[in-house]
Amino acid sequence: MKTIKILAVAAILLLSHACNTQVEKKENTKSLIPEEAIFPKGELGPATNFTGNAYNFGLVENDSVYNTLAGNVYFEKGARSNWHVHPSGQILIVLDGEGYHQLEGQPKQTMKKGDVVECPPNVKHWHGATENNSLTQMYILPKTENGIVTWLEAVTDEQYISN
Amino acid sequence: MKTIKILAVAAILLLSHACNTQVEKKENTKSLIPEEAIFPKGELGPATNFTGNAYNFGLVENDSVYNTLAGNVYFEKGARSNWHVHPSGQILIVLDGEGYHQLEGQPKQTMKKGDVVECPPNVKHWHGATENNSLTQMYILPKTENGIVTWLEAVTDEQYISN
């Protein structure tokens, strides 16, 4: 009986160790996810232009050769830009997560990984993450010789949750 | 003794089942990788403009509002564009993998996930995957009112492998 007990305990310990190894590997896999991000998180956007935490990482600086400004914004869930206007419009390309985008006077639209959204010149709009998901979103501003952005008022909670 | 045996076997079976569940979860995580691509693969580029298989997926169509053309190219390993020229230049943004980029008269450069490469207006250049890695690469063409692209001769194997 003693032998059986010892063998049983040994087997349990062995299997238990094997399980722990699997769990550890799973945790490592999880911890790799941030490394899979294409761009660094970037710099926290100012509270004067954003509600919640949104981080900007510049990709293309404005110059007179390309007249194009591009970058990546990581919005934490619930975070969004203020209302704003681009004189030559803006193109959004969603790289990950899920977000909202709204042109003034139109219903809020949901956007997700792989979506491309065009915001026409001089149309007041906002964009950001959904309540439950973060959003990783590239932006392209063309024709920067006309200007970059005019920041306006914050998106209220009512506006944010409206359909 | 019988009770101990039964308990030991039950414990072993339980732990063994827990281990199998972990393994299954790990395998599921692995099989998700292809689904993690941001954009569809797109359409195979013509052999007249590419060596090897390169697939283009359009993101932003050219129009007179934004005067910007953007898309994503997936180059299989070893695949590359012909030499070509953009009248207003081109911005490359690497989303995944590893590739090469070369401006005429300059050494070939390696580019990898997260890199941004600017190809000046009217400079002959080519880009593509490395010998051992595929390349997923967005492109932005600004100021399309000046034209899009002039395709030139293929990049020879000698040029491709040169330093």
Side-chain angles (χ1 to χ4, degrees):
Chain A
M1 194 174 88
K2 216 175 179 181
T3 316
I4 290 165
K5 255 192 187 170
I6 290 165
L7 278 174
V9 168
I12 288 166
L13 284 173
L14 260 171
L15 277 163
S16 167
H17 176 72
C19 281
N20 285 337
T21 309
Q22 291 300 341
V23 171
E24 275 166 25
K25 277 191 187 153
K26 243 192 106 215
E27 279 169 1
N28 280 342
T29 307
K30 269 190 182 167
S31 75
L32 281 173
I33 292 170
E35 291 172 24
E36 284 170 10
I38 300 167
F39 309 113
K41 201 171 179 181
E43 281 185 26
L44 185 64
T48 43
N49 300 337
F50 294 90
T51 301
N53 293 334
Y55 299 82
N56 178 64
F57 182 72
L59 295 171
V60 180
E61 279 187 40
N62 183 27
D63 64 26
S64 59
V65 177
Y66 303 97
N67 287 107
T68 298
L69 186 72
N72 184 65
V73 182
Y74 173 76
F75 290 92
E76 289 181 2
K77 60 183 181 180
R80 68 266 191 181
S81 74
N82 279 17
W83 288 97
H84 59 286
V85 169
H86 301 286
S88 294
Q90 182 178 44
I91 297 156
L92 306 176
I93 299 175
V94 181
L95 299 182
D96 205 10
E98 198 181 42
Y100 295 134
H101 165 253
Q102 186 174 22
L103 304 179
E104 190 181 34
Q106 293 190 21
K108 185 178 71 179
Q109 305 284 338
T110 300
M111 51 185 191
K112 61 181 199 312
K113 187 170 165 175
D115 283 352
V116 179
V117 173
E118 296 185 352
C119 324
N122 292 314
V123 174
K124 192 172 158 179
H125 73 131
W126 67 269
H127 36 116
T130 62
E131 297 90 333
N132 300 315
N133 261 298
S134 63
L135 172 72
T136 303
Q137 167 232 271
M138 268 188 58
Y139 59 87
I140 303 171
L141 294 180
K143 302 182 181 181
T144 54
E145 65 273 23
N146 299 330
I148 306 288
V149 60
T150 304
W151 285 106
L152 303 167
E153 72 278 11
V155 173
T156 64
D157 287 348
E158 266 186 9
Q159 289 171 328
Y160 179 68
I161 60 170
S162 72
N163 289 317
Chain B
M1 194 172 88
K2 215 175 181 182
T3 316
I4 291 167
K5 255 191 186 170
I6 289 165
L7 278 173
V9 168
I12 288 166
L13 283 173
L14 260 171
L15 277 162
S16 169
H17 176 74
C19 281
N20 286 338
T21 309
Q22 292 298 342
V23 171
E24 274 165 25
K25 277 192 185 152
K26 243 192 105 215
E27 279 168 2
N28 280 343
T29 307
K30 268 189 184 169
S31 74
L32 282 173
I33 292 171
E35 291 171 24
E36 285 170 7
I38 300 167
F39 309 113
K41 203 173 180 180
E43 282 186 24
L44 185 64
T48 43
N49 300 339
F50 294 90
T51 300
N53 293 335
Y55 299 82
N56 178 64
F57 183 73
L59 295 171
V60 180
E61 280 185 39
N62 183 29
D63 64 26
S64 60
V65 178
Y66 303 97
N67 287 108
T68 297
L69 186 72
N72 184 65
V73 182
Y74 174 76
F75 290 92
E76 289 182 2
K77 60 182 180 181
R80 68 267 190 180
S81 73
N82 279 17
W83 289 98
H84 59 286
V85 170
H86 301 286
S88 295
Q90 181 178 44
I91 297 155
L92 306 176
I93 300 174
V94 181
L95 299 182
D96 204 11
E98 198 181 42
Y100 295 134
H101 166 251
Q102 186 173 22
L103 304 180
E104 191 180 34
Q106 293 189 22
K108 184 180 71 179
Q109 305 283 338
T110 300
M111 52 186 189
K112 60 180 200 311
K113 187 172 165 172
D115 284 352
V116 179
V117 173
E118 295 184 354
C119 323
N122 292 314
V123 174
K124 193 171 156 178
H125 72 130
W126 67 269
H127 36 115
T130 63
E131 296 90 331
N132 301 314
N133 260 298
S134 63
L135 172 71
T136 303
Q137 167 232 270
M138 268 188 58
Y139 59 88
I140 304 171
L141 295 179
K143 301 182 181 182
T144 53
E145 65 275 22
N146 299 330
I148 306 287
V149 60
T150 304
W151 285 106
L152 302 167
E153 72 278 10
V155 173
T156 64
D157 287 347
E158 266 186 8
Q159 289 171 328
Y160 180 69
I161 61 170
S162 72
N163 289 316

